[in-house]
Amino acid sequence: MLRGADGLERWSGADRLMDAVRKAVKAAPLGRGRDALHGRWLGHPLHPLMVQVPVGTWLSAALLDALPGHRRAARTLVGVGLAAAGPAAVAGWVDWAELPREQQRVGFVHAAANVTGVALYAASYVARRRRQTVRGKALGLAGLTAVAVGGALGGHLAYRQASGANHAEQVSHLVEQGWQPVGELADLPVGSAVRRHIGDVAVMVVREPDDEVRVLAEHCSHMGGPLSEGELRDGCVRCPWHGSVFRLEDGWNVRGPATAPQPAFDTRVRHGRVEARLRHPADAEHRTDRWDAA
């Protein structure tokens, strides 16, 4: 199974179709609802939480199907799962559109398996309503099998490909405690982001006009994009890969798809040299950002 999932990462047969779907998902007029679907308010992706409802109800329906006298309860559970599958799928597609190509390939098959499962459960529900009990149970079992395949691929996405994981979490384990040297203040351009290192950890450094220095971890918490190559505006930096916006002051993720703040550093200048110390934890306050909603 692992070899098969790894093979999906390299399979390019559906790339043109995926590009069309991705374009449609990105163009959907979701506004600030897009960040809500990403789970920025929750601190981690919302999709894995939402899928627990359809998976749980359908598994429970399968258990009731094995017992006598629970036809109505099983049918109700199938219906609840169908109602919950739609919002979960929307959240999943929104996350999928921001993934790298290899993850999108696995995610596309993951979605196809789940769509198959939903179609089978919809047919199962119709059969149950028509009192075609045996047919309804058989279709439900087939649907559960398809959803299980989709779930396995979802696990590959989450745990092997690290989709939705915080890609900056390791910073706190790699940076030594206390003040660490960053470089000479005179070597930092004013108003531009540059890449420097604190020990073995890459950081993005911005020298502001008043010689205040802002330091964030270089690799975006969403998918590891290089923040030092991003756009600076209104005290924030936008990741050049997927557009996540982080506040320079404290690393707060003002806009998704990133769901985790960026590790931020306190800074000081001593004898013309910049020193930084990792902030534990990032004390990021919720404030209205000045980036336009476009």
Side-chain angles (χ1 to χ4, degrees):
M1 183 172 181
L2 180 58
R3 287 194 298 270
D6 286 342
L8 286 177
E9 298 178 20
R10 300 186 295 273
W11 180 61
S12 60
D15 281 3
R16 294 182 65 178
L17 176 59
M18 288 194 310
D19 287 340
V21 175
R22 178 180 180 273
K23 184 178 180 180
V25 173
K26 297 277 286 184
L30 298 176
R32 293 187 178 275
R34 192 175 297 272
D35 273 2
L37 289 168
H38 281 309
R40 189 176 73 88
W41 58 275
L42 186 61
H44 60 76
L46 183 61
H47 173 68
L49 177 63
M50 297 179 74
V51 299
Q52 302 306 310
V53 177
V55 172
T57 54
W58 290 338
L59 180 59
S60 298
L63 293 175
L64 290 182
D65 280 343
L67 302 174
H70 295 282
R71 288 184 298 178
R72 183 175 181 180
R75 185 184 69 207
T76 299
L77 288 170
V78 170
V80 171
L82 287 170
V90 172
W93 282 115
V94 168
D95 285 344
W96 173 86
E98 306 293 348
L99 297 178
R101 177 68 76 188
E102 294 78 10
Q103 294 185 8
Q104 283 188 344
R105 289 167 177 163
V106 176
F108 200 69
V109 180
H110 160 76
N114 288 334
V115 168
T116 301
V118 169
L120 288 167
Y121 268 110
S124 173
Y125 185 81
V126 171
R128 294 167 191 266
R129 291 286 298 181
R130 294 175 176 175
R131 300 184 182 277
Q132 298 172 346
T133 304
V134 175
R135 178 181 174 84
K137 289 182 178 181
L139 287 168
L141 183 59
L144 186 61
T145 301
V147 170
V149 172
L153 291 173
H156 183 87
L157 271 167
Y159 298 111
R160 185 169 176 83
Q161 294 183 306
S163 169
N166 178 3
H167 287 257
E169 189 275 336
Q170 77 280 6
V171 170
S172 63
H173 304 288
L174 299 177
V175 174
E176 294 185 10
Q177 295 183 1
W179 294 100
Q180 307 295 324
V182 177
E184 298 289 338
L185 178 65
D187 293 338
L188 301 176
V190 177
S192 299
V194 294
R195 177 173 175 156
R196 294 291 187 267
H197 283 82
I198 297 178
D200 294 328
V201 176
V203 295
M204 180 202 70
V205 183
V206 178
R207 176 185 176 186
E208 298 187 335
D210 60 357
D211 284 342
E212 182 76 28
V213 179
R214 306 295 188 186
V215 178
L216 299 179
E218 161 74 348
H219 298 294
C220 176
S221 64
H222 173 235
M223 288 304 301
L227 293 186
S228 62
E229 300 177 17
E231 175 190 3
L232 298 178
R233 181 151 59 94
D234 294 332
C236 297
V237 58
R238 182 195 295 269
C239 178
W241 282 9
H242 302 101
S244 296
V245 177
F246 301 95
R247 205 160 52 210
L248 295 175
E249 178 184 355
D250 52 16
W252 182 252
N253 49 324
V254 173
R255 183 178 304 168
T259 58
Q262 196 68 7
F265 293 75
D266 295 316
T267 62
R268 67 184 185 185
V269 179
R270 303 187 69 182
H271 309 296
R273 292 183 60 84
V274 179
E275 297 179 343
R277 178 180 62 189
L278 184 64
R279 195 174 298 166
H280 291 286
D283 185 18
E285 300 175 358
H286 296 268
R287 296 192 305 220
T288 303
D289 69 279
R290 290 172 288 176
W291 288 70
D292 62 283

